[in-house]
Amino acid sequence: MKKVAKFGGSSLADASQFKKVGDIIREDPDRVYVVPSAPGKRFGGDTKVTDLLYRMYYKASKDEDFGEELDRIKERYQDIIDGLELEDFSLEGDFAQIERRMQQSPDSNYAASRGEYLNAKIMARYLGIPFIDAADVIFFSEDGTLDADRTNEVLSEKLSKTPRAVIPGFYGRGADGNPKTFSRGGSDITGSIVARACRADVYENWTDVSGFLAADPRIINDPVGIEVITYRELRELSYMGAAVLHEDAIFPVRHEGIPINIKNTNRPQDEGTWIVESTCQKTGYTITGIAGKKGFCTVLISKALMNSEVGFGRKVLQAFEEYGISFEHMPSGIDTMTIVVHEDEFKHKEQQVVSAIHRLAEPDSVEIDSDLALIAVVGRGMKSTRGTAGRIFSALAHAQVNVRMIDQGSSELNIIIGVDDKDFERAVRAIYDIFVKTSF
Ligand code: ASP
């Protein structure tokens, strides 16, 4: 059995958290590869080391004095080193190099990557296992995306010769040879890449919560946890706003069918959530989870006999493509098509898009409406279950919520409901209650 264990920033925020991680690793010899984040927040209002690094870079790039930030960063690491009582270990040489680089040629990717780099060095020393620099084994292409094939080839080869190792999260090597980071939270992606490369049995993602909850705890008081969720269900939910795992992190492990286990560093005894390709395990309720987001708008395009005009949909979507706007959903009627887009992305370009639709598709009219919230009700248990939609809509009617839009894919995995922004929380509560509190 081989496990990859990725630890998030709050799991490594100080020496006492490091010790918990040490216990977790030592407790299970199958945890052979460790992927750390940079030190995160120790308490509410604290600053993550990654944010301090970005601030340091920002000042350096404007030729301002960045001494204060550098000192705070050094202090964070020194506190960890002292708390772990690591004798004869120092990051002074690394800090001297970082300072020089910031003075000579400040670079935000380089700066941000140092958070994970330094933390992994400490972790390797603390656990007494080798350190592998992510810049030697993870590669980005010219266009800035991950070069998955080259990475997998080089990393697999390296890991086959290194039975245990610590590999820093969040960065790799850019096409120009310098360190390059993923987007924020990207250490989750590194963990997944490492799991794929060594063909791990499990990718453990250790954080500060015991897995996913069936709904947002800011809306639902004490929601139930999710024990098992499929990759596809998670995509439907994460895409709507769940924040525990970086949304790109599932792709490398999904490639190999490796399950992800979300675990809590502060409560390792909890089973957490399993993210799997497929399962025969039944969900406790018809739905697996509910997630949603406010701030969408709809663009309603009408044209008589639209249904018989071949290529009409393509022309409409081309108008959005020309202005770089991605769409979320596209419910349609016989003579109408509605495109649902993010309001903040769309509002600056709305008039250009409307004229492009007129130019390309010659519709009868285009109407824009705003303040739409989308709610995704997701669950593999919905498949072939009669009455799911009926229960959702009667719960919404009882809660006095008007439904503005409905979209259900033929996979029967999710139902998307559009309501007014102002009704969003009430609608989520009504749906949660009908499935979880009064489950049958
Ligand atoms: N340290 C980076 C961030 O704060 C990456 C990560 O933690 O995954 O976004």
Side-chain angles (χ1 to χ4, degrees), residues 274-288:
W274 282 89
I275 308 166
V276 299
E277 181 172 1
S278 185
T279 176
C280 64
Q281 285 196 40
K282 302 269 182 307
T283 41
Y285 312 95
T286 310
I287 60 159
T288 304

Side-chain angles (χ1 to χ4, degrees), residues 37-38 48 50 116 170 184-187:
S37 282
K48 288 174 161 197
T50 307
E116 273 68 14
F170 193 35
R184 295 300 302 264
S187 299

Side-chain angles (χ1 to χ4, degrees), residues 6 14 25 41 44 98 114 119 174 183 281 318 330 332 344 403 406 413:
K6 179 262 166 180
D14 57 23
I25 298 297
K41 293 185 185 182
I98 292 169
R114 296 305 86 183
N119 229 20
S183 57
Q281 285 196 40
Q318 189 182 333
M330 193 177 56
S332 59
D344 50 0
V403 175
I406 305 166
L413 189 70

Side-chain angles (χ1 to χ4, degrees), residues 6-10 36-40 48-51 54 112 115-116 169-170 182-190 246:
K6 179 262 166 180
F7 292 89
S10 60
S37 282
K48 288 174 161 197
V49 164
T50 307
D51 290 314
Y54 277 122
E116 273 68 14
F170 193 35
F182 292 105
S183 57
R184 295 300 302 264
S187 299
D188 287 337
I189 308 172
T190 310
H246 192 295

Side-chain angles (χ1 to χ4, degrees), residues 104-125:
Q104 288 165 2
S105 53
D107 175 79
S108 69
N109 277 276
Y110 170 79
S113 71
R114 296 305 86 183
E116 273 68 14
Y117 173 82
L118 298 172
N119 229 20
K121 278 192 130 181
I122 298 178
M123 178 63 80
R125 169 60 194 264

Side-chain angles (χ1 to χ4, degrees), residues 160-226:
S160 69
K161 293 190 206 120
T162 325
R164 302 196 69 193
V166 177
I167 304 128
F170 193 35
Y171 71 94
R173 183 191 302 202
D176 62 358
N178 287 315
K180 174 169 169 51
T181 63
F182 292 105
S183 57
R184 295 300 302 264
S187 299
D188 287 337
I189 308 172
T190 310
S192 185
I193 291 170
V194 173
R196 176 185 175 196
C198 73
R199 292 181 178 259
D201 296 281
V202 184
Y203 167 28
E204 290 182 340
N205 190 292
W206 292 82
T207 176
D208 51 11
V209 290
S210 296
F212 293 109
L213 298 170
D216 186 338
R218 288 167 301 186
I219 302 175
I220 305 291
N221 192 16
D222 203 13
V224 293
I226 299 176

Side-chain angles (χ1 to χ4, degrees), residues 40-310:
K41 293 185 185 182
R42 293 160 293 183
F43 43 82
D46 195 17
T47 310
K48 288 174 161 197
V49 164
T50 307
D51 290 314
L52 291 172
L53 288 160
Y54 277 122
R55 265 187 232 168
M56 176 182 76
Y57 155 74
Y58 184 67
K59 286 196 169 173
S61 69
K62 293 199 300 173
D63 232 355
E64 288 174 15
D65 178 27
F66 55 85
E68 191 194 320
E69 284 71 25
L70 185 59
D71 286 347
R72 283 181 68 187
I73 297 163
K74 283 184 183 171
E75 202 180 299
R76 291 289 305 266
Y77 287 105
Q78 198 55 48
D79 280 352
I80 295 173
I81 295 169
D82 294 345
L84 297 177
E85 297 175 55
L86 299 181
E87 281 159 23
D88 308 325
F89 179 83
S90 157
L91 294 175
E92 257 173 51
D94 292 294
F95 278 118
Q97 204 177 349
I98 292 169
E99 189 169 1
R100 249 193 330 272
R101 178 82 188 260
M102 284 296 112
Q103 282 158 346
Q104 288 165 2
S105 53
D107 175 79
S108 69
N109 277 276
Y110 170 79
S113 71
R114 296 305 86 183
E116 273 68 14
Y117 173 82
L118 298 172
N119 229 20
K121 278 192 130 181
I122 298 178
M123 178 63 80
R125 169 60 194 264
Y126 177 54
L127 297 173
I129 56 178
F131 166 86
I132 296 177
D133 190 349
D136 294 335
V137 286
I138 293 180
F139 304 97
F140 290 90
S141 311
E142 283 293 342
D143 66 0
T145 58
L146 175 73
D147 184 343
D149 292 341
R150 180 167 175 222
T151 297
N152 198 45
E153 195 183 312
V154 174
L155 184 57
S156 307
E157 167 76 11
K158 180 81 182 168
L159 297 182
S160 69
K161 293 190 206 120
T162 325
R164 302 196 69 193
V166 177
I167 304 128
F170 193 35
Y171 71 94
R173 183 191 302 202
D176 62 358
N178 287 315
K180 174 169 169 51
T181 63
F182 292 105
S183 57
R184 295 300 302 264
S187 299
D188 287 337
I189 308 172
T190 310
S192 185
I193 291 170
V194 173
R196 176 185 175 196
C198 73
R199 292 181 178 259
D201 296 281
V202 184
Y203 167 28
E204 290 182 340
N205 190 292
W206 292 82
T207 176
D208 51 11
V209 290
S210 296
F212 293 109
L213 298 170
D216 186 338
R218 288 167 301 186
I219 302 175
I220 305 291
N221 192 16
D222 203 13
V224 293
I226 299 176
E227 285 169 25
V228 184
I229 185 168
T230 64
Y231 296 138
R232 286 176 59 205
E233 286 176 303
L234 183 64
R235 282 290 299 144
E236 296 294 346
L237 288 170
S238 70
Y239 149 81
M240 303 291 293
V244 178
L245 188 75
H246 192 295
E247 64 173 0
D248 293 343
I250 58 173
F251 298 110
V253 282
R254 190 175 181 172
H255 201 273
E256 298 291 329
I258 300 166
I260 306 175
N261 188 194
I262 307 286
K263 297 278 288 175
N264 187 346
T265 302
N266 305 314
R267 289 184 56 86
Q269 67 278 16
D270 291 353
E271 187 57 33
T273 299
W274 282 89
I275 308 166
V276 299
E277 181 172 1
S278 185
T279 176
C280 64
Q281 285 196 40
K282 302 269 182 307
T283 41
Y285 312 95
T286 310
I287 60 159
T288 304
I290 309 167
K293 222 169 169 181
K294 294 183 188 177
F296 291 92
C297 53
T298 53
V299 184
L300 172 69
I301 299 119
S302 311
K303 185 173 188 182
L305 300 175
M306 170 195 292
N307 64 318
S308 53
E309 182 179 330
V310 176

